[in-house]
Amino acid sequence: MFTIEHEFDATVVTLVDEGREHLNEDVIINAFDDCVTLEQWDPRTDLVHRITLSLAQLRDLTAALNLPEGIYRSTQVKDE
């Protein structure tokens, strides 16, 4: 299950792990104009871990999900 909310400065997607097996904590994805953050609470440390991806990294990740194993380089020209 997931939810989508449109905030003032970001779109927030929350991924909820459902099922009978061991469940992981929710993953919260914040999409900003210049980056995307992924956050997940760690119950062992009682801390929220955050990963920040640039938009170029997000494009590469999106492409990688549909490619076979290997090494690739994006050919898109950077406008930034």
Side-chain angles (χ1 to χ4, degrees):
M1 179 180 94
F2 63 92
T3 65
I4 301 172
E5 300 173 59
H6 298 290
E7 303 287 333
F8 172 71
D9 62 344
T11 297
V12 180
V13 177
T14 302
L15 306 176
V16 179
D17 194 11
E18 294 183 300
R20 294 177 187 228
E21 302 168 11
H22 171 73
L23 301 178
N24 290 316
E25 297 299 324
D26 295 354
V27 174
I28 300 170
I29 304 165
N30 294 287
F32 298 97
D33 287 342
D34 60 344
C35 68
V36 172
T37 63
L38 294 91
E39 299 175 345
Q40 187 176 43
W41 178 67
D42 183 349
R44 295 170 295 173
T45 61
D46 197 27
L47 295 171
V48 173
H49 296 281
R50 178 180 297 129
I51 297 173
T52 302
L53 301 174
S54 69
L55 297 182
Q57 288 174 312
L58 184 61
R59 282 190 298 270
D60 288 348
L61 174 59
T62 302
L65 294 175
N66 294 314
L67 291 170
E69 186 175 321
I71 299 173
Y72 301 89
R73 175 173 286 143
S74 177
T75 58
Q76 187 169 9
V77 177
K78 226 175 147 176
D79 294 332
E80 303 164 54

